[in-house]
mmCIF file of all heavy atoms in Angstrom:
data_model
loop_
_atom_site.group_PDB
_atom_site.id
_atom_site.type_symbol
_atom_site.label_atom_id
_atom_site.label_comp_id
_atom_site.label_asym_id
_atom_site.label_seq_id
_atom_site.Cartn_x
_atom_site.Cartn_y
_atom_site.Cartn_z
ATOM 1 N N LYS A 1 -188.541 79.487 101.755
ATOM 2 C CA LYS A 1 -187.780 78.684 102.769
ATOM 3 C C LYS A 1 -186.274 78.845 102.614
ATOM 4 O O LYS A 1 -185.480 78.319 103.370
ATOM 5 C CB LYS A 1 -188.055 77.209 102.625
ATOM 6 C CG LYS A 1 -187.809 76.550 101.294
ATOM 7 C CD LYS A 1 -188.248 75.119 101.321
ATOM 8 C CE LYS A 1 -188.000 74.388 99.981
ATOM 9 N NZ LYS A 1 -188.435 72.968 99.991
ATOM 10 N N TYR A 2 -185.896 79.756 101.665
ATOM 11 C CA TYR A 2 -184.444 80.033 101.432
ATOM 12 C C TYR A 2 -184.156 81.525 101.534
ATOM 13 O O TYR A 2 -183.773 82.154 100.552
ATOM 14 C CB TYR A 2 -184.024 79.463 100.037
ATOM 15 C CG TYR A 2 -184.166 77.987 99.879
ATOM 16 C CD1 TYR A 2 -184.875 77.486 98.847
ATOM 17 C CD2 TYR A 2 -183.593 77.088 100.815
ATOM 18 C CE1 TYR A 2 -185.039 76.135 98.645
ATOM 19 C CE2 TYR A 2 -183.776 75.758 100.652
ATOM 20 C CZ TYR A 2 -184.472 75.245 99.578
ATOM 21 O OH TYR A 2 -184.645 73.881 99.444
ATOM 22 N N PRO A 3 -184.327 82.178 102.696
ATOM 23 C CA PRO A 3 -184.008 83.545 102.784
ATOM 24 C C PRO A 3 -182.518 83.749 102.663
ATOM 25 O O PRO A 3 -181.710 82.854 102.921
ATOM 26 C CB PRO A 3 -184.465 83.940 104.194
ATOM 27 C CG PRO A 3 -184.484 82.653 104.975
ATOM 28 C CD PRO A 3 -184.837 81.597 103.980
ATOM 29 N N VAL A 4 -182.077 84.980 102.246
ATOM 30 C CA VAL A 4 -180.691 85.286 102.053
ATOM 31 C C VAL A 4 -180.148 86.198 103.170
ATOM 32 O O VAL A 4 -179.002 86.611 103.135
ATOM 33 C CB VAL A 4 -180.392 85.952 100.683
ATOM 34 C CG1 VAL A 4 -180.714 84.984 99.571
ATOM 35 C CG2 VAL A 4 -181.198 87.240 100.526
ATOM 36 N N GLY A 5 -181.037 86.495 104.160
ATOM 37 C CA GLY A 5 -180.607 87.370 105.230
ATOM 38 C C GLY A 5 -181.778 87.832 106.044
ATOM 39 O O GLY A 5 -182.949 87.467 105.761
ATOM 40 N N ASP A 6 -181.559 88.699 107.035
ATOM 41 C CA ASP A 6 -182.542 89.213 107.910
ATOM 42 C C ASP A 6 -182.329 90.687 108.160
ATOM 43 O O ASP A 6 -181.355 91.117 108.777
ATOM 44 C CB ASP A 6 -182.572 88.472 109.244
ATOM 45 C CG ASP A 6 -183.724 88.832 110.136
ATOM 46 O OD1 ASP A 6 -184.341 89.885 109.921
ATOM 47 O OD2 ASP A 6 -184.011 88.039 111.059
ATOM 48 N N LEU A 7 -183.211 91.540 107.639
ATOM 49 C CA LEU A 7 -183.017 93.000 107.708
ATOM 50 C C LEU A 7 -183.390 93.540 109.113
ATOM 51 O O LEU A 7 -183.251 94.704 109.359
ATOM 52 C CB LEU A 7 -183.870 93.692 106.661
ATOM 53 C CG LEU A 7 -183.429 93.462 105.222
ATOM 54 C CD1 LEU A 7 -184.226 94.354 104.242
ATOM 55 C CD2 LEU A 7 -181.958 93.735 105.050
ATOM 56 N N ASN A 8 -183.983 92.687 109.935
ATOM 57 C CA ASN A 8 -184.182 93.057 111.302
ATOM 58 C C ASN A 8 -182.958 92.820 112.179
ATOM 59 O O ASN A 8 -182.935 93.194 113.373
ATOM 60 C CB ASN A 8 -185.381 92.312 111.908
ATOM 61 C CG ASN A 8 -186.731 92.839 111.391
ATOM 62 O OD1 ASN A 8 -186.735 93.784 110.605
ATOM 63 N ND2 ASN A 8 -187.804 92.202 111.823
ATOM 64 N N LYS A 9 -181.895 92.244 111.600
ATOM 65 C CA LYS A 9 -180.650 91.981 112.293
ATOM 66 C C LYS A 9 -179.470 92.669 111.614
ATOM 67 O O LYS A 9 -178.580 93.130 112.305
ATOM 68 C CB LYS A 9 -180.384 90.470 112.365
ATOM 69 C CG LYS A 9 -181.416 89.696 113.197
ATOM 70 C CD LYS A 9 -181.108 88.239 113.164
ATOM 71 C CE LYS A 9 -182.113 87.450 113.986
ATOM 72 N NZ LYS A 9 -181.866 85.966 113.951
ATOM 73 N N ASP A 10 -179.475 92.766 110.314
ATOM 74 C CA ASP A 10 -178.374 93.304 109.554
ATOM 75 C C ASP A 10 -178.799 94.358 108.582
ATOM 76 O O ASP A 10 -180.014 94.471 108.257
ATOM 77 C CB ASP A 10 -177.667 92.157 108.702
ATOM 78 C CG ASP A 10 -177.050 91.085 109.626
ATOM 79 O OD1 ASP A 10 -176.270 91.438 110.520
ATOM 80 O OD2 ASP A 10 -177.393 89.895 109.389
ATOM 81 N N SER A 11 -177.875 95.168 108.109
ATOM 82 C CA SER A 11 -178.144 96.215 107.158
ATOM 83 C C SER A 11 -178.401 95.608 105.804
ATOM 84 O O SER A 11 -178.017 94.484 105.479
ATOM 85 C CB SER A 11 -176.967 97.162 107.046
ATOM 86 O OG SER A 11 -175.838 96.542 106.435
ATOM 87 N N MET A 12 -179.034 96.361 104.886
ATOM 88 C CA MET A 12 -179.265 95.951 103.539
ATOM 89 C C MET A 12 -177.951 95.615 102.827
ATOM 90 O O MET A 12 -177.839 94.612 102.113
ATOM 91 C CB MET A 12 -179.977 97.002 102.716
ATOM 92 C CG MET A 12 -181.391 97.210 103.118
ATOM 93 S SD MET A 12 -182.218 98.434 102.015
ATOM 94 C CE MET A 12 -183.747 98.690 102.831
ATOM 95 N N GLU A 13 -176.957 96.458 103.021
ATOM 96 C CA GLU A 13 -175.640 96.231 102.386
ATOM 97 C C GLU A 13 -175.030 94.924 102.770
ATOM 98 O O GLU A 13 -174.508 94.155 101.957
ATOM 99 C CB GLU A 13 -174.730 97.398 102.626
ATOM 100 C CG GLU A 13 -173.411 97.308 101.872
ATOM 101 C CD GLU A 13 -172.548 98.542 101.957
ATOM 102 O OE1 GLU A 13 -172.964 99.510 102.691
ATOM 103 O OE2 GLU A 13 -171.561 98.612 101.230
ATOM 104 N N THR A 14 -175.119 94.617 104.118
ATOM 105 C CA THR A 14 -174.572 93.339 104.595
ATOM 106 C C THR A 14 -175.307 92.161 103.947
ATOM 107 O O THR A 14 -174.655 91.177 103.537
ATOM 108 C CB THR A 14 -174.744 93.251 106.118
ATOM 109 O OG1 THR A 14 -174.017 94.353 106.724
ATOM 110 C CG2 THR A 14 -174.222 91.931 106.645
ATOM 111 N N VAL A 15 -176.600 92.159 103.875
ATOM 112 C CA VAL A 15 -177.377 91.101 103.256
ATOM 113 C C VAL A 15 -177.113 91.039 101.763
ATOM 114 O O VAL A 15 -176.972 89.937 101.181
ATOM 115 C CB VAL A 15 -178.869 91.332 103.547
ATOM 116 C CG1 VAL A 15 -179.727 90.298 102.792
ATOM 117 C CG2 VAL A 15 -179.198 91.222 105.031
ATOM 118 N N PHE A 16 -177.097 92.168 101.121
ATOM 119 C CA PHE A 16 -176.848 92.242 99.679
ATOM 120 C C PHE A 16 -175.607 91.545 99.252
ATOM 121 O O PHE A 16 -175.545 90.934 98.210
ATOM 122 C CB PHE A 16 -176.847 93.722 99.255
ATOM 123 C CG PHE A 16 -176.770 93.954 97.762
ATOM 124 C CD1 PHE A 16 -177.965 93.878 96.988
ATOM 125 C CD2 PHE A 16 -175.617 94.262 97.094
ATOM 126 C CE1 PHE A 16 -177.948 94.121 95.608
ATOM 127 C CE2 PHE A 16 -175.582 94.469 95.709
ATOM 128 C CZ PHE A 16 -176.759 94.395 94.968
ATOM 129 N N ASN A 17 -174.569 91.658 100.029
ATOM 130 C CA ASN A 17 -173.345 90.942 99.758
ATOM 131 C C ASN A 17 -172.997 89.877 100.809
ATOM 132 O O ASN A 17 -171.820 89.576 101.105
ATOM 133 C CB ASN A 17 -172.177 91.948 99.649
ATOM 134 C CG ASN A 17 -172.100 92.548 98.234
ATOM 135 O OD1 ASN A 17 -172.181 91.876 97.264
ATOM 136 N ND2 ASN A 17 -171.907 93.920 98.224
ATOM 137 N N GLY A 18 -174.060 89.229 101.280
ATOM 138 C CA GLY A 18 -173.899 88.094 102.161
ATOM 139 C C GLY A 18 -173.575 86.872 101.374
ATOM 140 O O GLY A 18 -173.626 86.872 100.141
ATOM 141 N N PRO A 19 -173.256 85.777 102.053
ATOM 142 C CA PRO A 19 -172.800 84.550 101.335
ATOM 143 C C PRO A 19 -173.832 83.990 100.318
ATOM 144 O O PRO A 19 -173.518 83.498 99.272
ATOM 145 C CB PRO A 19 -172.506 83.571 102.463
ATOM 146 C CG PRO A 19 -173.235 84.150 103.670
ATOM 147 C CD PRO A 19 -173.176 85.634 103.500
ATOM 148 N N ASP A 20 -175.121 84.038 100.664
ATOM 149 C CA ASP A 20 -176.170 83.476 99.794
ATOM 150 C C ASP A 20 -176.320 84.295 98.509
ATOM 151 O O ASP A 20 -176.486 83.759 97.417
ATOM 152 C CB ASP A 20 -177.477 83.379 100.548
ATOM 153 C CG ASP A 20 -177.450 82.287 101.594
ATOM 154 O OD1 ASP A 20 -176.914 81.195 101.331
ATOM 155 O OD2 ASP A 20 -177.989 82.508 102.696
ATOM 156 N N MET A 21 -176.298 85.612 98.653
ATOM 157 C CA MET A 21 -176.418 86.456 97.495
ATOM 158 C C MET A 21 -175.190 86.334 96.564
ATOM 159 O O MET A 21 -175.326 86.335 95.361
ATOM 160 C CB MET A 21 -176.652 87.894 97.890
ATOM 161 C CG MET A 21 -178.063 88.192 98.420
ATOM 162 S SD MET A 21 -179.337 88.096 97.107
ATOM 163 C CE MET A 21 -179.031 89.581 96.187
ATOM 164 N N LYS A 22 -174.039 86.290 97.161
ATOM 165 C CA LYS A 22 -172.810 86.142 96.361
ATOM 166 C C LYS A 22 -172.854 84.815 95.611
ATOM 167 O O LYS A 22 -172.445 84.760 94.433
ATOM 168 C CB LYS A 22 -171.610 86.216 97.310
ATOM 169 C CG LYS A 22 -171.380 87.667 97.847
ATOM 170 C CD LYS A 22 -170.018 87.860 98.455
ATOM 171 C CE LYS A 22 -169.838 87.124 99.738
ATOM 172 N NZ LYS A 22 -168.552 87.442 100.471
ATOM 173 N N GLN A 23 -173.296 83.744 96.248
ATOM 174 C CA GLN A 23 -173.292 82.455 95.587
ATOM 175 C C GLN A 23 -174.347 82.445 94.429
ATOM 176 O O GLN A 23 -174.145 81.852 93.374
ATOM 177 C CB GLN A 23 -173.666 81.340 96.599
ATOM 178 C CG GLN A 23 -173.644 79.896 95.975
ATOM 179 C CD GLN A 23 -172.251 79.592 95.444
ATOM 180 O OE1 GLN A 23 -171.234 79.710 96.151
ATOM 181 N NE2 GLN A 23 -172.191 79.124 94.236
ATOM 182 N N LEU A 24 -175.442 83.155 94.660
ATOM 183 C CA LEU A 24 -176.481 83.261 93.630
ATOM 184 C C LEU A 24 -175.930 83.918 92.347
ATOM 185 O O LEU A 24 -176.183 83.450 91.251
ATOM 186 C CB LEU A 24 -177.678 84.066 94.209
ATOM 187 C CG LEU A 24 -178.979 84.137 93.402
ATOM 188 C CD1 LEU A 24 -179.580 82.749 93.286
ATOM 189 C CD2 LEU A 24 -179.951 85.060 94.080
ATOM 190 N N ARG A 25 -175.245 84.998 92.573
ATOM 191 C CA ARG A 25 -174.600 85.717 91.402
ATOM 192 C C ARG A 25 -173.595 84.816 90.686
ATOM 193 O O ARG A 25 -173.600 84.770 89.422
ATOM 194 C CB ARG A 25 -173.948 86.997 91.866
ATOM 195 C CG ARG A 25 -174.900 88.063 92.426
ATOM 196 C CD ARG A 25 -174.197 89.344 92.734
ATOM 197 N NE ARG A 25 -175.072 90.202 93.533
ATOM 198 C CZ ARG A 25 -174.913 90.434 94.851
ATOM 199 N NH1 ARG A 25 -173.902 89.951 95.458
ATOM 200 N NH2 ARG A 25 -175.746 91.190 95.486
ATOM 201 N N LYS A 26 -172.789 84.064 91.439
ATOM 202 C CA LYS A 26 -171.809 83.197 90.829
ATOM 203 C C LYS A 26 -172.519 82.124 90.001
ATOM 204 O O LYS A 26 -172.119 81.827 88.877
ATOM 205 C CB LYS A 26 -170.964 82.557 91.936
ATOM 206 C CG LYS A 26 -169.940 83.501 92.550
ATOM 207 C CD LYS A 26 -169.283 82.816 93.786
ATOM 208 C CE LYS A 26 -168.450 81.648 93.390
ATOM 209 N NZ LYS A 26 -167.721 81.063 94.570
ATOM 210 N N ASN A 27 -173.603 81.542 90.549
ATOM 211 C CA ASN A 27 -174.367 80.553 89.844
ATOM 212 C C ASN A 27 -174.927 81.096 88.523
ATOM 213 O O ASN A 27 -174.868 80.450 87.482
ATOM 214 C CB ASN A 27 -175.545 80.053 90.708
ATOM 215 C CG ASN A 27 -175.061 79.130 91.815
ATOM 216 O OD1 ASN A 27 -173.924 78.727 91.908
ATOM 217 N ND2 ASN A 27 -176.004 78.788 92.684
ATOM 218 N N MET A 28 -175.504 82.241 88.605
ATOM 219 C CA MET A 28 -176.145 82.837 87.383
ATOM 220 C C MET A 28 -175.074 83.168 86.336
ATOM 221 O O MET A 28 -175.346 82.924 85.125
ATOM 222 C CB MET A 28 -176.859 84.137 87.798
ATOM 223 C CG MET A 28 -178.161 83.849 88.576
ATOM 224 S SD MET A 28 -179.024 85.366 88.982
ATOM 225 C CE MET A 28 -180.537 84.651 89.799
ATOM 226 N N LEU A 29 -173.925 83.647 86.712
ATOM 227 C CA LEU A 29 -172.933 83.953 85.652
ATOM 228 C C LEU A 29 -172.345 82.656 85.055
ATOM 229 O O LEU A 29 -171.825 82.674 83.928
ATOM 230 C CB LEU A 29 -171.789 84.794 86.298
ATOM 231 C CG LEU A 29 -172.225 86.202 86.730
ATOM 232 C CD1 LEU A 29 -171.005 86.905 87.396
ATOM 233 C CD2 LEU A 29 -172.638 87.016 85.537
ATOM 234 N N ALA A 30 -172.494 81.552 85.785
ATOM 235 C CA ALA A 30 -171.964 80.239 85.273
ATOM 236 C C ALA A 30 -173.149 79.421 84.683
ATOM 237 O O ALA A 30 -172.943 78.252 84.314
ATOM 238 C CB ALA A 30 -171.335 79.498 86.377
ATOM 239 N N ASN A 31 -174.323 79.980 84.556
ATOM 240 C CA ASN A 31 -175.529 79.314 84.067
ATOM 241 C C ASN A 31 -175.860 78.077 84.895
ATOM 242 O O ASN A 31 -176.198 76.960 84.385
ATOM 243 C CB ASN A 31 -175.392 78.935 82.611
ATOM 244 C CG ASN A 31 -176.764 78.619 81.967
ATOM 245 O OD1 ASN A 31 -177.827 78.965 82.479
ATOM 246 N ND2 ASN A 31 -176.743 77.901 80.862
ATOM 247 N N LYS A 32 -175.719 78.165 86.208
ATOM 248 C CA LYS A 32 -176.091 77.093 87.086
ATOM 249 C C LYS A 32 -177.419 77.445 87.820
ATOM 250 O O LYS A 32 -177.593 78.594 88.193
ATOM 251 C CB LYS A 32 -174.977 76.844 88.133
ATOM 252 C CG LYS A 32 -173.697 76.293 87.534
ATOM 253 C CD LYS A 32 -172.653 76.117 88.616
ATOM 254 C CE LYS A 32 -171.296 75.590 88.083
ATOM 255 N NZ LYS A 32 -170.247 75.451 89.141
ATOM 256 N N PRO A 33 -178.227 76.439 88.046
ATOM 257 C CA PRO A 33 -179.518 76.775 88.788
ATOM 258 C C PRO A 33 -179.297 77.012 90.286
ATOM 259 O O PRO A 33 -178.282 76.636 90.832
ATOM 260 C CB PRO A 33 -180.319 75.451 88.603
ATOM 261 C CG PRO A 33 -179.257 74.410 88.394
ATOM 262 C CD PRO A 33 -178.147 75.055 87.658
#
């Protein structure tokens, strides 16, 4: 229920560095769930 993007609309690179993926990395580096 929490997709980070849509590859039928955007490129992999766009999704890979989309807002949800960027937030996920920030959380992990800060040891946040």
Side-chain angles (χ1 to χ4, degrees):
K1 61 182 177 181
Y2 300 124
V4 296
D6 187 342
L7 295 185
N8 285 358
K9 296 178 180 178
D10 297 305
S11 69
M12 289 184 189
E13 185 169 7
T14 298
V15 173
F16 187 80
N17 275 317
D20 290 318
M21 285 292 287
K22 290 194 289 188
Q23 186 59 54
L24 190 63
R25 296 186 193 106
K26 287 171 65 178
N27 287 351
M28 288 181 175
L29 293 177
N31 197 21
K32 293 179 179 179

